[in-house]
Amino acid sequence: ERWDGPTECRSALENGVGAPYTLWYVLGATTCLDAWLCDKERRFSDYSFYRQQLELLTSLSYINNNNNKHQTTWLLKDPMHTFSLDALFHAFPQATIVWTHRSPHNFAASMCSLLSSVWSRMLRHSTQKNNNIQQKQRKFDSAIIDYLALALKRAVIFRAENPQNSNNFIDISMDDLVQNP
């Protein structure tokens, strides 16, 4: 798929034990995500396995191209990597992060809308007749904002504590990117 396609790389990271993002995205389940975020050894192990998967795909691309070696550049496209930049750079020390900046209000509103919509559809069968659905929706929206804040905080701290990686980041305004891709 082209770099501007819709696919994010989350699925490969979730293979094996893997990052439990889908449970959070789809069901709003935070227990697994909280445990994963607190377990540095597991996050580093998951990113190492992630790298192995990409190395395997690279090897397969050589085979499919009659062993003609060509430069393979991987685009790891998922804002959730901001939770674990330490593990990402451990697995991919030469990685370049293109960090698109957009209004926190717009981003949070967009994520709350998207994830709340998914969550309410997934759980509609059990909450359709429940009078507390609006209360549950507000609680989930609040949790989304809390996790977005945590991801941003972890990423900002990583950047501040790892100035040796400053050249590995390209910061760009989302508005500029949309106007001039």
Side-chain angles (χ1 to χ4, degrees), residues 45-125:
S45 174
D46 289 344
Y47 269 91
S48 291
F49 183 63
Y50 187 45
R51 180 184 178 103
Q52 290 172 2
Q53 292 175 79
L54 295 177
E55 289 170 344
L56 176 62
L57 291 172
T58 300
S59 296
L60 291 173
S61 74
Y62 292 151
I63 292 168
N64 290 335
N65 289 303
N66 298 319
N67 293 323
N68 291 329
K69 297 209 180 238
H70 60 282
Q71 181 68 27
T72 301
T73 302
W74 291 100
L75 174 65
L76 308 179
K77 181 176 151 184
D78 190 341
M80 295 298 105
H81 287 302
T82 55
F83 277 119
S84 298
L85 290 175
D86 56 347
L88 185 141
F89 274 103
H90 185 263
F92 303 98
Q94 302 301 318
T96 298
I97 307 293
V98 178
W99 191 325
T100 53
H101 299 271
R102 64 191 280 203
S103 161
H105 296 101
N106 292 344
F107 179 67
S110 174
M111 285 293 284
C112 285
S113 175
L114 172 68
L115 297 181
S116 294
S117 176
V118 169
W119 181 73
S120 65
R121 282 176 175 71
M122 291 298 294
L123 299 179
R124 178 178 25 191
H125 65 279

Side-chain angles (χ1 to χ4, degrees), residues 132-148:
N132 295 325
I133 192 161
Q134 287 180 332
Q135 181 182 4
K136 289 179 182 181
Q137 194 73 40
R138 283 191 299 274
K139 183 178 178 185
F140 187 64
D141 288 350
S142 177
I144 294 168
I145 292 170
D146 291 345
Y147 278 100
L148 294 176

